[in-house]
Amino acid sequence: MLEKIKQLELISRKHLEPTSQQRDEMTKKILSYSENFLDNIYELPAYVMDEKKGIDIYKTPISENGISLDATLDVLKTNVDTPGLNPASGGHLGYIPGGGIYYSALGDFLADVTNRYAGIFFGSPGAVRLENLLIDWMAEVVGYPKSTAGNLTSGGSIANLIGIVTARDAMNVKSKDVEKSVIYLSEQVHHSVDKAIRIAGLNECVWRYVPLDEQYRMKSDELEKQILEDKKNGLNPFLVIASAGTTNTGTVDPLKIIGDIAGKYKLWYHIDAAYGGFFILCDEGKKVLHGMEMSDSLSIDPHKGLFLPYGLGTILVKDRTKIFESHHYLPPYLQDTLKANDELSPADLSPELTKHFRGLRLWLPLKFVGVAPFRAAIEEKLLLARYFWETIQTFDGFEVGPYPDLSVVMYRYVPKRGDANEFNKRLVHEVQKDGRVFISSTMIDGKFVLRVAILCFRTHLQTIDFALKILKEKAKEIEKEFEIKK
Ligand SMILES: *Cc1c(COP(=O)(O)O)cnc(C)c1O
């Protein structure tokens, strides 16, 4: 047996623990790959429509023995880093972009090398304090008090889930109460909210979609009317969910008034600020987001508004006991950890136990460049959206949606002849096929509408002017075709 153990050790040492020279060689190659990507990032397309769609990844299946790093990086480049959307590109103006600041990659690198266990205070008190410090900072940014606790999640979806589960328990909604308990929300909430409600076992609650005004904001008087009526009918109104920036239209609900109503009728108030929350860093955004601090729980995504690479959302809960009561658990095999509980541990505030040490990817950039550049960049995005809105409506044939609350703009082309929906479907396709910038579309009240979402830190005035130029050109080309057809 001892011989066998030694043999196995040899294999493990040889392949799983590269020598410093091997590390050096590999790191150089990886760096050269990423440097090549970044050096060309302003020229790379935002979208690549490619026939193969990465199918050749299957040509090199996982096997017993490895292949060279060069060959591996080739597979990666061709199949993964080329086809489809390039979220790192400033030309990404679809969905909700963010970009992915480089400093976070360095933070992730360090987190992976040291592999600190950031789930439980006992295991890595410093890592947990670092994450709690970030939670405290974000709480302060949004105007939450010192009593706040929260969690760094994988994204906004899990943040919303934690918020809604906390709301359910804090409001004491047991399974027998579900059918008569009422949730108030807008048809424009992000679908992760719908998912979270279902996963939280609240699907059979009464869902009240509060009517929206012409800016797609929740009508607060209708909300209050509905709560009163539901109470009169013996129902249990317990949760209202507002959006600080909807994904679809970029709309901010009347946060302060909804906060007053939630307070008056003692409802839990959850705000989904995954997209829009960090606009509070600039003065213009602060005005729009007035009242955000009145919520009981709030989701806010650094991988959107702080331009981090994918993989970091946040849930904040004002009353720390509530998020703890919903999520903590102590199994016998973790009894030693009780020796150190100076601070709340992430594992007690989330469904996760072991997790990536996500804090480092936010802490490192904030320490290294400070908050000021983030404030500037987010204000730049807000103003770029206003500029886009003002400019595109001066182009022949284009009409715009409401003045943007934050950085999503809705617009479409109304052709002289033919079906507008068909025209815009074609327009978005042509822009995507071209690929120099990427825009996406949506349906609003039966209309096929185009949108730009400006939130990649690499998107600047030049990018927006370029996008405007492409839209104008493509629209002209399609208009010609439509005329010939008639
Ligand atoms: C992006 C988004 C989410 C979901 O966040 P993920 O990080 O994609 O899980 C939730 N709400 C809003 C408003 C969003 O824009």
Side-chain angles (χ1 to χ4, degrees):
M1 188 171 68
L2 285 181
E3 264 321 295
K4 183 74 182 166
I5 290 175
K6 283 180 190 162
Q7 243 176 26
L8 295 171
E9 175 180 327
L10 231 54
I11 299 174
S12 165
R13 279 185 184 276
K14 176 153 181 244
H15 295 286
L16 297 183
E17 190 71 279
T19 62
S20 88
Q21 194 195 341
Q22 285 170 323
R23 285 200 302 271
D24 188 49
E25 280 168 17
M26 290 185 80
T27 311
K28 277 195 182 123
K29 283 185 177 169
I30 296 281
L31 265 185
S32 142
Y33 184 93
S34 71
E35 281 303 295
N36 183 45
F37 179 80
L38 287 179
D39 285 344
N40 292 303
I41 189 64
Y42 288 93
E43 283 80 48
L44 284 173
Y47 189 75
V48 176
M49 254 185 216
D50 162 300
E51 288 294 305
K52 286 194 153 176
K53 299 176 190 162
I55 187 82
D56 288 350
I57 196 99
Y58 293 113
K59 283 194 178 158
T60 58
I62 304 302
S63 55
E64 276 303 299
N65 299 302
I67 62 169
S68 78
L69 183 58
D70 289 329
T72 307
L73 289 175
D74 274 349
V75 172
L76 187 71
K77 182 161 187 179
T78 314
N79 296 288
V80 180
D81 289 337
T82 305
L85 188 59
N86 179 0
S89 161
H92 175 19
L93 307 170
Y95 317 115
I96 303 287
I101 48 173
Y102 184 65
Y103 309 109
S104 296
L106 301 178
D108 278 345
F109 181 79
L110 286 179
D112 288 0
V113 170
T114 60
N115 199 22
R116 303 304 302 185
Y117 190 90
I120 295 183
F121 185 77
F122 171 77
S124 191
V128 170
R129 286 196 209 273
L130 182 152
E131 295 205 342
N132 286 345
L133 176 145
L134 291 168
I135 298 285
D136 292 348
W137 174 70
M138 285 186 268
E140 198 187 314
V141 163
V142 303
Y144 265 30
K146 291 248 182 295
S147 60
T148 302
N151 189 254
L152 301 181
T153 62
S154 56
S157 299
I158 302 301
N160 279 331
L161 177 64
I162 294 175
I164 284 165
V165 165
T166 303
R168 178 196 68 197
D169 297 348
M171 298 305 285
N172 203 25
V173 174
K174 306 278 192 240
S175 11
K176 65 177 169 46
D177 311 314
V178 165
E179 282 185 9
K180 61 176 179 48
S181 297
V182 193
I183 302 172
Y184 303 84
L185 67 176
S186 133
E187 259 173 8
Q188 291 290 338
V189 291
H190 190 267
H191 73 278
S192 61
V193 169
D194 299 62
K195 271 201 213 170
I197 291 173
R198 209 170 67 208
I199 298 169
L202 298 172
N203 207 23
E204 281 75 36
C205 282
V206 182
W207 298 52
R208 295 282 187 227
Y209 287 109
V210 180
L212 307 179
D213 66 15
E214 57 287 350
Q215 315 249 34
Y216 313 106
R217 297 189 185 120
M218 208 189 264
K219 283 185 180 168
S220 50
D221 49 340
E222 296 278 347
L223 170 66
E224 183 161 17
K225 234 174 21 194
Q226 190 67 56
I227 294 173
L228 282 169
E229 191 174 317
D230 289 339
K231 276 187 174 285
K232 205 173 71 192
N233 292 327
L235 296 174
N236 172 37
F238 81 101
L239 171 62
V240 56
I241 301 167
S243 306
T246 63
T247 310
N248 205 22
T249 66
T251 305
V252 178
D253 283 317
L255 303 178
K256 160 126 195 355
I257 307 174
I258 296 174
D260 288 334
I261 295 171
K264 186 166 161 194
Y265 299 101
K266 302 197 162 46
L267 270 65
W268 185 275
Y269 184 18
H270 177 76
I271 295 182
D272 180 356
Y275 152 56
F278 283 110
F279 282 94
I280 203 165
L281 286 173
C282 71
D283 289 340
E284 283 298 307
K286 197 173 274 170
K287 282 184 226 157
V288 178
L289 296 170
H290 179 56
M292 200 156 71
E293 73 288 352
M294 295 172 80
S295 55
D296 297 292
S297 54
L298 181 118
S299 53
I300 181 167
D301 273 9
H303 71 195
K304 286 179 176 162
L306 292 179
F307 323 113
L308 261 63
Y310 296 138
L312 195 66
T314 305
I315 180 71
L316 300 173
V317 178
K318 217 177 234 173
D319 179 347
R320 58 175 54 213
T321 61
K322 300 300 181 196
I323 181 173
F324 180 81
E325 280 164 9
S326 284
H327 294 91
H328 81 284
Y329 199 86
L330 185 71
Y333 46 81
L334 288 181
Q335 60 189 5
D336 310 334
T337 65
L338 278 183
K339 278 189 287 192
N341 50 9
D342 315 35
E343 297 220 7
L344 286 176
S345 290
D348 286 329
L349 308 170
S350 133
E352 290 181 297
L353 176 56
T354 304
K355 68 181 196 84
H356 177 59
F357 178 21
R358 308 186 172 106
L360 209 44
R361 66 203 326 269
L362 176 57
W363 185 77
L364 190 82
L366 284 174
K367 292 304 287 178
F368 189 57
V369 302
V371 181
F374 291 95
R375 273 187 219 289
I378 200 104
E379 184 169 11
E380 179 198 12
K381 306 313 156 209
L382 190 113
L383 297 179
L384 283 175
R386 293 177 180 179
Y387 169 74
F388 182 94
W389 183 83
E390 279 167 15
T391 312
I392 195 155
Q393 58 184 296
T394 66
F395 295 174
D396 257 0
F398 280 96
E399 65 173 27
V400 292
Y403 185 73
D405 278 344
L406 299 171
S407 71
V408 174
V409 182
M410 286 172 287
Y411 57 99
R412 62 177 197 147
Y413 190 87
V414 186
K416 295 195 191 77
R417 276 176 236 127
D419 183 55
N421 282 5
E422 280 308 310
F423 192 101
N424 287 285
K425 204 186 270 179
R426 184 67 200 287
L427 183 53
V428 72
H429 178 78
E430 288 304 322
V431 176
Q432 290 179 358
K433 202 169 94 186
D434 177 277
R436 287 173 294 172
V437 298
F438 179 86
I439 57 164
S440 60
S441 67
T442 184
M443 294 302 291
I444 303 270
D445 307 326
K447 282 186 192 163
F448 193 97
V449 171
L450 308 184
R451 52 193 284 296
V452 287
I454 302 170
L455 201 58
C456 175
F457 75 99
R458 292 194 177 101
T459 303
H460 303 297
L461 186 57
Q462 202 182 2
T463 333
I464 296 304
D465 280 333
F466 192 46
L468 285 162
K469 182 169 157 270
I470 292 172
L471 279 161
K472 199 184 202 172
E473 283 171 9
K474 298 284 173 204
K476 219 181 231 167
E477 285 168 26
I478 303 168
E479 180 82 271
K480 263 192 208 136
E481 252 180 63
F482 265 51
E483 272 172 31
I484 294 165
K485 257 198 235 163
K486 294 283 139 181

